[in-house]
Structures are given as C-alpha cells and as structure tokens.
C-alpha cells in the first residue's frame, strides 16, 4: 500500500534511529537528513506553522501578556474556596453551626468545582479559552458579592456552590493554554508556575482572610475578593486573545492536499478546486499550513518559519468566541473522553498522584482551626492564617526546583537516548518530593497528636506540604499531557474530578475522625 507523505517521513526517521516512534515520543534533535524548526538549540515541538497568528509564533511580549492574564484567573479563582479555614470560628458563631457543618462550605465548593469542568472544558474546546475565562470570572464575581452579603447558613452555602461552578477553569484551562502557546521544552517550567500560583492562591487566601476577619470582619474579605476578581476580568478582556489553534491531523493534511491537487477528468493539468476548501488562495495556504508537517530537508529556520517569535494575535482572536462548525460533536466528545481516560494507566497514575499530593495540603487547611485555636495553642484567626506563610514558602521552593529539575532530568535522559524524548523520562524527578511529602505528613500528624511546639509543626510540616504540592502535580500533569496532548483538556478534567472527589471525602469526614481517633490515623 502506498504510504502518505507523513508516514514516509516517519518510517525514514525510524529507520535512521533504529527505533519505533510511538505516540507521546518526541524527536528533540535533527535525524540524519531530516531537519526541524529550531529555537536556539532546541527542536520545536510541536512544529509551528508559517503563520504570524499561530500562538506558537507570538512574540515574547504577547506570550507574557497572555500567560499573565491566564495566571491571574487561576490565582483569583483559587483564592476564595479555601480561604475559609481561619474564619471557621466566626461562621460557627454567626450562622449558629458546628465545625463539621461550616467545613462543608469548603467541601461542597471543592466537589462542585471538579464536576463543573464537564461544562467548562467542552465549551473551551468548542468555542475557545477566552469566552470560558470571561464567563467563569463573571460567575465568581457574583458568588463573591453573594458571600459578602449572605445572612444565614443556607444563603452562604448557595454562594459556595456558585463559586464552585465558576472556579472550575482554574484547575483545567491554563495547562491547555500553556500547551497552546509554549513549546514542549518550556512546558515543565510554565506548568510549575501555574501550579504554584494556583496552589499559592489556596495558601494566600487563609493568610489574608484570617487577618481581615480579625481586624475588619469576615465580610470585608469577600469585598476584597470581589475587587481582585474585577481586576482579573479586565486583564482577560484586554490581555488574553484566543489561544486555541487548530493543527490539522496528518490525515486531514493529506486529504486536503490530494483534493487541492486533483487532476481534472479531461486529462488537462488544470487542478480542480474542491468544494470544502476556500477559493481564497491566502486562506487556502492558511488551511494547509496550520497543520502540515514542514519539509524536513535541510533549510534555515528563518526560511522555514519567518514569524517565529515575531507573531501577534489577529483581530479574529479578540472576538468574544471562536465559531465552531460542529459544536455538538465537540461537546459530546469532551463529556465522554474524561471517563474513557480513566481506563488508561498513565491517567489513573497521574490522577491519584495529584489527588494524594493535594489532599496532604488540604488536610492542613481543614485542621488548622481545629488544632491551633484549641489548647494548648489558643491562637486567633490571624495567627492561624499566618501559618500558611510556611506553606507558601515551601511552594516557592517547589517552583524554584521542580520545573527546572524535571526538565533537566528529562533533557539528560533524552541526550542519553540519542535525542528521543519519552514522557516517562521526567518521572524520576518525583522521588525527592515524594520523600518530602512523607516527612511532612509524619511531622504534622504526630506533632498535632502529641502537641509538639507549633514551630516544629509549621516550619517543618507545613513547609514540606508546600514543596511537594508545588512539585508533584506539576511533574505528573506535564507527563500526562505530554503522553496525550490531543486530549489535554479532557485529561485535566479526569484528574480534577478524581482529586476533588477525594478532597470532598476528606472534608466530609476528617474533623469528626480526628475528634474520635486523633490526628495520626487519617493523616
């Protein structure tokens, strides 16, 4: 059977490497006569198209503005749901409730947040990242105002549920944006930045809320939260163009090229223009270059992609949404694929690593008031909130080490493997962070149980929690996305649902479990 263009190239590369190129495997170096578009010494994966509006070709300024706006959404949407921990005492008093009842404010928001991504990710795939960010920030804005004015338990719970619906994109959309605008060799760093800002918001929230609740009342925290959501919404509107960019599957490219070059029945050399390809030559070129595999013969990068690092968004990328010819099909696929992905060991592994890493951090959030507001500590809400600085410092250590370390481990293994990068190569970077997570769990569990000095629990236990929660989820989600890039959004939904169901279970049972059995068994 005659092979198409891409199959031929792939077969030649496999012959030169004497290795099979499986999905998820990337060629990170030139192979024999096959040359790729490069950025510095790196082969660029994925290969950018020769289009100035391709997000991979955007200038550093546009990429910086875009990722700043995206990060602001992740940070502001994450700030509210876990900010309640130091304020539990005030809610118990004002709403005439018990500790397990007010802890449900956090648990229910987390549970709804995970499942809300069955709405947001299909919309993001079908109509773009930009409309999802705008709509979700508006919902979070409304929920924050509602929390500030809530008069009773039921009303505040309703605001928490709405907040959970609106805050879903914080956990799923930015990894897709990172894959849209950054090349493979940079993603480890940017995914770590994302995780630290998102998880950092969960750490900063209690610091701010505890202090504000003590000095100006808990309602003013939610007015402050409203203000920063407004700032983030304005950043998205004016700094975040659409990043979703359709890169044609090789089968689509071959089909389009064969149709465009079809010979007319009269044996003339005149090409027949297929009905599904536009008659506009410029648009035809666009259609074919969006996904075509570049000519792999020796050619300068500047000639192959003259817009690399110099591109900018088009006017169309600033529209409120991107039209989709088959929105229903895209939405149905995005609803089904996350469930299907649970059958894949890589996804299952990543989902549970993220779940257990984040639950180690969530545990500290849920037990802060229970442990430190009681004797022998008797701390107020501000002091309890300030303990989260240790987690934040740990997360910054994770930021400084995990991304560069995992990229270095992966790059070193790639060089040893003759320039072929396998997604699994970054997994050995997890080892030190798993040991740190275990140390933190032991210190907090036994420290709280035996009432150690608070300095030991906070400085060692809380800092370890921050380091591992910045590192482990970033490493394994990068690994999973590298393995299954075409379904990155659905992949994050699967991971998020798993994590948040696990987190909801902890929030539902941990406080009463601790009251009955102590801190060691649940932790």
């Amino acid at each position: 059977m005659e092979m198409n263009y891409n199959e031929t190239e792939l077969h030649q590369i496999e012959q030169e490497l004497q290795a099979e190129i499986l999905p998820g495997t990337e060629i990170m170096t030139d192979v024999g006569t096959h040359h790729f578009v490069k950025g510095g010494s790196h082969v660029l994966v994925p290969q950018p198209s020769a289009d100035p509006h391709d997000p991979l070709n955007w200038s550093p300024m546009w990429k910086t503005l875009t990722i700043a706006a995206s990060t602001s959404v992740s940070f502001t949407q994450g700030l509210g749901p876990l900010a309640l921990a130091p304020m539990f005492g005030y809610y118990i008093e004002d709403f005439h409730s018990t500790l397990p009842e007010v802890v449900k404010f956090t648990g229910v928001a987390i549970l709804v947040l995970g499942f809300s991504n069955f709405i947001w990710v299909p919309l993001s795939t079908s109509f773009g990242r930009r409309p999802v960010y705008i709509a979700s920030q508006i919902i979070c804005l409304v929920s924050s105002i509602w929390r500030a004015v809530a008069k009773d338990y039921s009303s505040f719970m309703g605001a928490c549920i709405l907040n959970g619906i609106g805050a879903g994109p914080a956990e799923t959309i930015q990894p897709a944006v990172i894959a849209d605008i950054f090349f493979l060799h940079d993603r480890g760093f940017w995914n770590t930045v994302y995780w630290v800002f998102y998880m950092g918001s969960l750490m900063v929230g209690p610091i701010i809320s505890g202090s504000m609740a003590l000095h100006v009342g808990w309602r003013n925290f939610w007015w402050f939260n409203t203000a920063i959501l407004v700032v983030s919404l304005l950043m998205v509107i004016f700094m975040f163009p659409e990043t979703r960019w359709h890169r044609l599957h090789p089968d689509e490219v071959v089909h389009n090229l064969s149709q465009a070059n079809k010979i007319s029945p009269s044996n003339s050399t005149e090409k027949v223009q297929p009905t599904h390809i536009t008659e506009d030559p410029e648009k035809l070129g666009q259609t074919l270059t969006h996904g075509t595999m570049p000519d792999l013969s020796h050619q300068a990068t500047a000639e192959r992609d003259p817009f690399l690092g110099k591109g900018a968004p088009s006017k169309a990328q600033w529209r409120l949404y991107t039209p989709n010819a088959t929105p229903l099909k895209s939405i149905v696929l995005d609803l089904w694929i996350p469930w299907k992905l649970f059958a894949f060991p890589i996804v299952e592994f990543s989902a549970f690593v993220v779940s257990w890493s984040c639950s180690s951090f969530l545990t500290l959030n849920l037990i802060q008031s229970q442990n430190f507001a009681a004797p022998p500590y008797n701390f107020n809400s501000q002091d309890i909130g300030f303990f989260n600085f240790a987690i934040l410092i740990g997360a910054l250590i994770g930021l400084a080490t995990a991304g560069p370390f995992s990229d270095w481990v992966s790059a070193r293994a790639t060089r040893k493997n003759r320039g072929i990068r396998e997604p699994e190569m970054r997994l050995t970077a997890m080892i030190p962070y798993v040991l740190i997570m275990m140390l933190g769990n032991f210190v907090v569990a036994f420290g709280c149980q035996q009432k150690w000095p608070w300095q030991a629990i906070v400085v060692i236990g809380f800092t370890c929690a921050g380091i591992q929660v910045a590192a482990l989820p970033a490493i394994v989600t990068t690994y999973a996305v590298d393995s299954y890039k075409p379904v990155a959004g659905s992949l994050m939904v699967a991971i998020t649902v798993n994590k948040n169901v696990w987190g909801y279970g902890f929030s539902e049972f941990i406080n009463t479990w601790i009251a009955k059995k102590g801190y060691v068994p649940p932790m």
Side-chain angles (χ1 to χ4, degrees), residues 19-35:
E20 184 180 6
I21 308 301
L22 299 170
T25 302
E26 301 290 358
I27 310 299
M28 304 300 292
T29 184
D30 290 338
V31 179
T33 58
H34 302 281
H35 297 262

Side-chain angles (χ1 to χ4, degrees), residues 26 37 43-49 54 56-57 178-185 187 247 294 305 308 485:
E26 301 290 358
V37 180
V43 167
L44 299 180
V45 179
Q47 290 279 282
S49 63
D54 184 344
L56 291 174
N57 283 332
I178 289 169
D180 289 340
I181 66 176
F182 291 110
F183 296 102
L184 179 66
H185 65 273
R187 286 185 199 155
R247 302 187 188 282
D305 183 5
L308 184 64
K485 284 189 291 292

Side-chain angles (χ1 to χ4, degrees), residues 117-148:
N117 282 300
F118 281 106
I119 302 170
W120 295 121
V121 169
L123 292 178
S124 168
T125 303
S126 296
F127 302 109
R129 328 296 187 204
R130 182 172 160 82
V132 164
Y133 271 164
I134 292 173
S136 63
Q137 283 296 68
I138 291 172
I139 291 174
C140 287
L141 194 60
V142 172
S143 73
S144 186
I145 295 171
W146 187 357
R147 289 213 214 203

Side-chain angles (χ1 to χ4, degrees), residues 147-201:
R147 289 213 214 203
V149 301
K151 300 298 184 186
D152 55 37
Y153 181 92
S154 298
S155 179
F156 197 88
M157 180 63 82
C160 292
I161 293 170
L162 186 64
N163 189 194
I165 294 171
E171 296 201 325
T172 53
I173 304 302
Q174 190 165 350
V177 172
I178 289 169
D180 289 340
I181 66 176
F182 291 110
F183 296 102
L184 179 66
H185 65 273
D186 288 324
R187 286 185 199 155
F189 171 77
W190 287 109
N191 274 307
T192 303
V193 169
Y194 155 64
W195 270 105
V196 167
F197 270 91
Y198 175 60
M199 299 307 295
S201 71

Side-chain angles (χ1 to χ4, degrees), residues 41-102:
S41 60
H42 293 282
V43 167
L44 299 180
V45 179
Q47 290 279 282
S49 63
D51 189 310
H53 306 311
D54 184 344
L56 291 174
N57 283 332
W58 286 353
S59 67
M61 181 196 74
W62 277 115
K63 289 189 177 186
T64 301
L65 290 174
T66 300
I67 205 66
S70 178
T71 303
S72 79
V73 174
S74 299
F75 183 85
T76 55
Q77 289 187 355
L79 192 74
L82 292 192
L84 285 73
M87 302 187 287
F88 283 156
Y90 298 102
Y91 294 129
I92 291 171
E93 182 180 348
D94 289 358
F95 296 147
H96 309 292
S97 304
T98 64
L99 179 61
E101 286 176 335
V102 297

Side-chain angles (χ1 to χ4, degrees), residues 23 34 40 72 152 163 179 254 336 361 369 401 412 509:
H34 302 281
S72 79
D152 55 37
N163 189 194
V254 173
W336 160 240
F361 159 70
S369 291
T401 59
R412 186 169 179 269
F509 305 117

Side-chain angles (χ1 to χ4, degrees), residues 191-374:
N191 274 307
T192 303
V193 169
Y194 155 64
W195 270 105
V196 167
F197 270 91
Y198 175 60
M199 299 307 295
S201 71
L202 309 182
M203 302 161 197
V204 169
I207 295 171
I208 299 171
S209 68
S211 183
M212 291 189 72
L214 179 64
H215 295 291
V216 296
W218 63 265
R219 294 184 188 276
N220 280 304
F221 168 76
W222 296 110
W223 288 120
F224 165 77
N225 189 60
T226 300
I228 63 172
L229 284 166
V230 169
V231 172
S232 177
L233 178 59
L234 292 174
M235 288 178 69
V236 171
I237 292 172
F238 295 107
M239 292 168 52
F240 187 88
E242 183 54 60
T243 63
R244 186 171 68 90
W245 185 266
H246 178 55
R247 302 187 188 282
L248 296 182
H249 186 275
D251 291 343
E252 294 179 85
V253 177
V254 173
H255 177 73
N256 286 351
L257 286 171
S258 64
Q259 290 294 315
N261 291 288
K262 191 179 293 181
I263 305 300
S264 66
S266 59
N267 292 329
S268 84
T269 58
E270 182 183 355
K271 294 176 183 176
V272 177
Q273 184 66 42
T275 56
H276 68 280
I277 297 182
T278 175
E279 295 181 3
D280 184 338
E282 182 180 344
K283 291 183 180 177
L284 173 60
Q286 261 188 342
T287 302
L288 296 180
T289 58
H290 279 199
T292 49
M293 192 172 175
D295 175 19
L296 299 182
S297 59
H298 183 67
Q299 184 180 5
T301 290
E303 296 174 18
R304 195 185 307 283
D305 183 5
F307 301 109
L308 184 64
K310 301 174 184 176
S314 65
K315 288 183 179 180
Q317 287 168 310
W318 288 102
R319 289 183 297 192
L320 189 59
Y321 73 96
T322 303
N324 183 0
T326 57
L328 185 61
K329 179 182 177 182
S330 299
I331 289 171
V332 169
L333 280 174
D334 275 330
L335 288 172
W336 160 240
I337 289 174
W339 299 107
K340 183 178 181 180
L341 287 173
F342 276 121
F344 291 79
I346 289 174
V347 177
E348 199 75 18
F349 169 76
S350 301
F352 277 103
V353 169
V354 172
S355 298
W356 294 332
S357 173
C358 291
S359 70
S360 292
F361 159 70
L362 177 63
T363 300
L364 305 189
N365 182 274
L366 297 176
I367 69 169
Q368 286 176 14
S369 291
Q370 187 174 10
N371 184 62
F372 291 114

